[in-house]
Amino acid sequence: MLKNAIELPKTMASVVCFGPKDYRLEEIPVPKAGPGEVLVKVKSAGICASDLKCYLGAPLFWGDSTRKGYCQPPITPGHEFVGEVVALGEGAGEKYGLEIGDLAVSEQIVPCWDCRFCRTGKYWMCQRHDIYGFRQSTPGAMAEFMCFPVGALNHKVPRSMPAHHAVFIEPLACSVHAVQRGNIEFQDVVVIAGAGPLGLGMFAAARMKQPALLIAIDLNDQRLEMAKRCGADIGLNPTQVDVVAEVLRLTGGYGCDVYIEASGHPQAVVDGLAMIRKLGTFVEFSVMREPVTVDWTIIGDTKELNIHGAHLSPDTYPVAIRMLEQGLLPIDEIVTHRLPLKDFQAGIDLVASGKSSIKVTLEP
């Protein structure tokens, strides 16, 4: 039996992606909650760096001569979100511990639960890989309503958490996973390149690991100051200092123990390989706009590095929710812009500029 909180409208406003730089505000049908599904009224949706790269036409999303694109237009974008539960399909409330009126989030990937990776507990690497906002089977959150389908991983959000804080659960959960991949030890010197929303979450998570020194690298001095607010000890701007030389100086010529790349800039990969010590751990997190070329000899014969990728946020949503509850990040300063849904283009432009914004959200 379907449980409804309100009588739902037949149509809703939604941003729809038709192709690179072709996003429009459309009126589309309101989704319905079938058995095991959850319908939410979207309270806040974040604009992620990967949303921007999809908008700009990055090959990962639209394909090139070497690969097929991931995005399936027309599609409602948005994988960072929080919503108020307004309808529960049969069995959904019991399965997820949700009631009408609760705030809820859903992990960004809806696993198939049948592929090799899902069957062995590695659901975040699901072969089908349906992520909200990119695939036809999982429309995203830049709309007035969205549906969490069967198989989704849903989490209840504490009622005390403001929606514009809860929208940061998804990026923070990804940040936590990236830090976990770094295997940080107590006496490590850790460098994180990129002090955007995801990088800021990484500083907060890395500080919980108690490294000896936590260094932020970014081109924006204001973001470097925010990184310190989130746990960084030092901020380095590559336009003002030779970051490789400075990290080597700070470590007696050895280099940092752990390097996490979260900037999405090819030079950050090159610099990271230069400043990391032998036998160090390099974590690559970013979605790059274009392929990056490096000297692989550094990885193997020269330094014997541990190279770890970091993708999504397996089992880290509860950690992210707890960190936000505990006030470990200055979220009211990180969420710099809260715009109405109709101003989505202005939001995308703010993210693209990166000069005055950190996290930009849309509030339908």
Side-chain angles (χ1 to χ4, degrees), residues 48-49 80 168 170-172 174-175 194-203 262 285:
C48 178
E80 301 177 359
F168 204 69
E170 189 276 343
L172 182 54
C174 290
S175 299
L198 288 151
L200 295 175
M202 291 176 197
F203 292 115
F285 175 83

Side-chain angles (χ1 to χ4, degrees), residues 35-363:
E37 297 183 335
V38 179
L39 184 70
V40 300
K41 180 174 176 56
V42 178
K43 306 298 287 185
S44 185
I47 302 177
C48 178
S50 60
D51 291 321
L52 174 64
K53 287 165 186 172
C54 183
Y55 174 82
L56 292 174
L60 173 66
F61 301 103
W62 300 106
D64 56 18
S65 60
T66 64
R67 58 185 162 182
K68 183 179 179 181
Y70 181 73
C71 189
Q72 297 176 334
I75 186 68
T76 299
H79 59 276
E80 301 177 359
F81 53 81
V82 61
E84 179 186 349
V85 177
V86 294
L88 290 165
E90 184 176 359
E94 295 79 5
K95 179 177 181 180
Y96 298 112
L98 292 173
E99 298 178 355
I100 300 297
D102 282 342
L103 280 182
V105 293
S106 185
E107 295 195 25
Q108 68 281 79
I109 188 169
V110 180
C112 73
W113 300 114
D114 191 46
C115 71
R116 170 182 177 180
F117 301 105
C118 288
R119 290 198 309 269
T120 56
K122 304 173 184 66
Y123 70 88
W124 68 100
M125 298 306 299
C126 173
Q127 188 74 0
R128 193 173 73 191
H129 224 71
D130 288 339
I131 293 181
Y132 289 114
F134 298 107
R135 313 290 284 178
Q136 288 288 327
S137 58
T138 46
M142 293 185 191
E144 293 181 278
F145 298 89
M146 71 177 296
C147 185
F148 303 165
V150 172
L153 291 153
N154 306 327
H155 301 270
K156 184 176 178 178
V157 176
R159 293 180 184 271
S160 60
M161 189 178 297
H164 70 285
H165 289 205
V167 76
F168 204 69
I169 292 170
E170 189 276 343
L172 182 54
C174 290
S175 299
V176 171
H177 178 54
V179 168
Q180 288 175 327
R181 293 287 283 161
N183 297 322
I184 297 169
E185 298 289 347
F186 292 129
Q187 290 301 308
D188 281 350
V189 173
V190 178
V191 174
I192 299 175
L198 288 151
L200 295 175
M202 291 176 197
F203 292 115
R207 175 49 58 200
M208 295 169 68
K209 296 283 188 177
Q210 295 298 314
L213 185 63
L214 182 54
I215 302 171
I217 295 179
D218 199 276
L219 298 171
N220 185 313
D221 286 338
Q222 290 181 322
R223 292 195 176 198
L224 288 174
E225 288 304 310
M226 187 62 70
K228 294 177 185 177
R229 296 280 309 281
C230 293
D233 297 303
I234 297 172
L236 302 177
N237 187 328
T239 66
Q240 300 169 13
V241 63
D242 183 331
V243 293
V244 174
E246 184 62 11
V247 170
L248 292 175
R249 185 189 70 80
L250 290 167
T251 56
Y254 287 97
C256 61
D257 302 282
V258 179
Y259 182 89
I260 303 177
E261 196 290 301
S263 72
H265 195 289
Q267 189 60 43
V269 179
V270 176
D271 288 347
L273 291 175
M275 73 174 66
I276 195 170
R277 67 163 170 84
K278 296 177 181 179
L279 301 175
T281 297
F282 188 116
V283 180
E284 178 52 57
F285 175 83
S286 296
V287 175
M288 296 287 178
R289 293 185 190 178
E290 61 275 331
V292 180
T293 301
V294 297
D295 180 2
W296 274 67
T297 308
I298 297 171
I299 297 168
D301 187 60
T302 305
K303 292 187 176 180
E304 195 175 321
L305 298 177
N306 301 301
I307 304 295
H308 293 176
H311 180 60
L312 302 187
S313 48
D315 305 313
T316 57
Y317 268 61
V319 178
I321 291 170
R322 188 168 69 249
M323 289 176 67
L324 291 173
E325 277 190 289
Q326 294 173 347
L328 299 185
L329 297 95
I331 292 297
D332 284 319
E333 297 173 54
I334 291 173
V335 179
T336 53
H337 295 78
R338 300 165 59 187
L339 306 177
L341 186 65
K342 65 181 179 63
D343 291 341
F344 73 92
Q345 187 62 58
I348 291 173
D349 293 343
L350 279 166
V351 176
S353 168
K355 293 179 179 179
S356 62
S357 69
I358 299 178
K359 172 53 64 180
V360 179
T361 63
L362 302 174
E363 298 184 356

